[in-house]
Amino acid sequence: MMLLRALFALLYIYALACDAQRPVPRRDDQYPPPAALAMLRPVGAICAKETGVSAAAIKRFSDEDAFDDDRALMCYMDCVFRLTNVTDDRGELHMGKLLDHVPPDYEDIALKMGVRCIKSKGKDVCERAFWYHKCWKKSDPVHYYLV
């Protein structure tokens, strides 16, 4: 019994240490870039209505360490890609088109975030959009955001 308590205590301490090491997303008056938010919020509103995704699911994915296989969220991500014209019909991302939407001061961040996320996986456009977002978030959780 004592061994079991010690094991639980160690697991608890480990969980606290892991949580303390988790990077905090940058959210201030300059980041995410206000101009990008202004441009993307109307697109996000259209896509939320189209897909039925909840605002809570978007925020949870953007600001927390959650990678739920939420179909509405996946298709929301594809819709944003589609309406901003950054993917082709197969859901493959065109980095040049994406960078057209990134303010110049943040291009280096976007490029570093995307360098590991070149070839998507997934059986359809929604799964591929989710793959890109999940890869970007893992690559740079401080600067990643989902509108």
Side-chain angles (χ1 to χ4, degrees):
M1 186 65 136
M2 203 157 155
L3 181 62
L4 190 58
R5 285 185 191 159
L7 180 62
F8 279 125
L10 285 173
L11 287 173
Y12 179 74
I13 291 168
Y14 177 74
L16 288 176
C18 287
D19 195 44
Q21 294 174 359
R22 181 177 301 146
V24 176
R26 181 176 170 195
R27 302 294 184 263
D28 55 55
D29 61 341
Q30 294 302 306
Y31 200 89
L37 289 176
M39 189 270 301
L40 288 171
R41 280 195 175 121
V43 173
I46 292 167
C47 292
K49 186 174 182 179
E50 178 181 308
T51 63
V53 70
S54 70
I58 294 167
K59 182 159 179 48
R60 184 176 60 248
F61 188 91
S62 187
D63 294 348
E64 297 175 18
D65 223 6
F67 300 117
D68 300 340
D69 288 348
D70 179 336
R71 183 73 183 170
L73 179 64
M74 291 178 185
C75 291
Y76 169 83
M77 293 168 173
D78 172 61
C79 178
V80 172
F81 281 168
R82 188 171 23 87
L83 293 185
T84 55
N85 195 34
V86 298
T87 53
D88 62 22
D89 292 340
R90 295 180 322 271
E92 295 299 325
L93 184 75
H94 296 277
M95 194 62 169
K97 289 182 179 182
L98 179 69
L99 287 173
D100 287 342
H101 298 287
V102 175
D105 292 348
Y106 299 99
E107 285 178 356
D108 285 346
I109 291 170
L111 286 169
K112 286 177 187 173
M113 190 183 297
V115 75
R116 294 189 186 124
C117 309
I118 306 286
K119 199 69 174 152
S120 66
K121 297 173 180 80
K123 67 180 184 217
D124 60 28
V125 293
C126 296
E127 287 185 10
R128 284 189 280 283
F130 181 70
W131 182 90
Y132 281 116
H133 281 270
K134 188 164 70 169
C135 186
W136 294 334
K137 184 172 175 73
K138 285 181 179 179
S139 176
D140 187 350
V142 172
H143 292 104
Y144 174 84
Y145 66 95
L146 178 63
V147 175

